[in-house]
């Protein structure tokens, strides 16, 4: 097992052509500018995040644990891009790994917006199934209240948002570094 891990760790990544690198870097720069211009608001990609989030409530809601059902939205929303990134990591597929990792970190911006609203509860809520939106709780209000941290919602959201930005920028920097390696053509 150890030999396999060492050989996997040292394995080469799939090369990124110069044209692909330029295209991907352009995409990420435009997206980052768009995200910066829409600070503290939901982004167009968050419609996809919302679908995965709501599916997480359904998936984890089958358990008897109410809080796990509430956490389930965020858990699945974070796990999906991480699982996809892990798949590309294992296969050493450079651009796929970067894309999924980038959007994992973008999910933190989405989560931070929702977290920061925990006390105010001004964001419109979306539900699935037969749930009545007027009687559905705000995930992060419930989560932070259960942890005794509701009064820290905006501070936690700021840290999560910062982690999202650092992660997205770090991912783009990694892709640029990886793409400038000797395997690029």
């Amino acid at each position: 097992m150890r030999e396999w891990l060492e050989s996997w760790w040292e394995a080469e990544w799939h090369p990124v052509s110069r044209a692909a690198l330029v295209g991907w870097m352009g995409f990420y720069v435009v997206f980052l500018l768009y995200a910066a211009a829409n600070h503290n608001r939901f982004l167009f990609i968050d419609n996809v995040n919302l679908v995965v989030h709501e599916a997480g409530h359904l998936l984890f809601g089958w358990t008897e644990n109410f809080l796990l059902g509430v956490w389930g939205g965020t858990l699945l929303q974070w796990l999906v891009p991480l699982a996809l990134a892990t798949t590309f990591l294992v296969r050493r597929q450079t651009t796929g790994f970067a894309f999924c990792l980038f959007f994992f970190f973008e999910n933190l911006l989405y989560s931070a917006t929702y977290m920061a609203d925990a006390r105010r509860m001004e964001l419109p809520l979306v539900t699935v199934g037969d749930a009545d939106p007027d009687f559905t709780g705000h995930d992060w209000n419930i989560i932070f209240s259960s942890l005794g941290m509701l009064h820290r919602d905006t501070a936690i959201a700021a840290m999560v948002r910062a982690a999202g930005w650092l992660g997205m920028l770090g991912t783009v920097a990694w892709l640029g570094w990886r793409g400038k390696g000797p395997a690029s053509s």
Side-chain angles (χ1 to χ4, degrees):
M1 177 72 161
R2 180 178 175 198
E3 291 172 6
W4 178 85
L5 282 172
E6 286 175 356
S7 69
W8 174 80
W9 184 257
E10 294 170 4
E12 290 293 318
W13 285 82
H14 289 238
V16 180
S17 71
R18 186 156 288 127
L21 182 62
V22 168
W24 280 111
M25 296 304 271
F27 167 78
Y28 291 123
V29 166
V30 168
F31 188 90
L32 289 167
L33 291 172
Y34 162 72
N38 289 285
H39 183 70
N40 290 334
R41 293 197 314 237
F42 291 121
L43 309 176
F44 73 87
I45 191 68
D46 293 330
N47 291 316
V48 175
N49 297 337
L50 176 62
V51 171
V52 176
H53 179 96
E54 292 305 317
H57 289 307
L58 294 175
L59 180 65
F60 289 95
W62 286 94
T63 68
E64 296 283 327
N65 187 322
F66 171 74
L67 275 178
L68 183 57
V70 174
W71 268 101
T74 300
L75 287 175
L76 193 64
Q77 171 190 327
W78 291 352
L79 287 174
V80 166
L82 272 181
L84 291 169
T86 301
T87 300
F88 288 116
L89 171 68
V90 168
R91 295 177 181 180
R92 291 296 205 245
Q93 294 176 331
T94 310
T95 55
F97 173 70
F99 183 82
C100 293
L101 192 62
F102 181 89
F103 281 103
F104 162 75
F105 286 115
E106 187 283 329
N107 261 284
L108 297 183
L109 303 184
Y110 174 77
S111 297
T113 300
Y114 197 9
M115 289 174 177
D117 187 60
R119 276 182 288 175
R120 289 189 323 264
M121 294 193 299
E122 294 172 350
L123 292 174
L125 298 180
V126 175
T127 61
V128 292
D130 296 334
D132 183 345
D134 293 332
F135 296 103
T136 302
H138 186 294
D139 294 357
W140 286 102
N141 180 281
I142 295 167
I143 292 167
F144 287 149
S145 293
S146 73
L147 297 171
M149 300 178 76
L150 184 60
H151 63 289
R152 298 184 190 267
D153 62 345
T154 55
I156 295 167
M159 289 186 288
V160 169
R161 183 174 305 284
W165 276 102
L166 289 172
M168 287 189 304
L169 293 170
T171 301
V172 173
W174 176 85
L175 179 61
W177 171 77
R178 193 83 233 150
K180 289 186 180 196
S184 295
S185 54

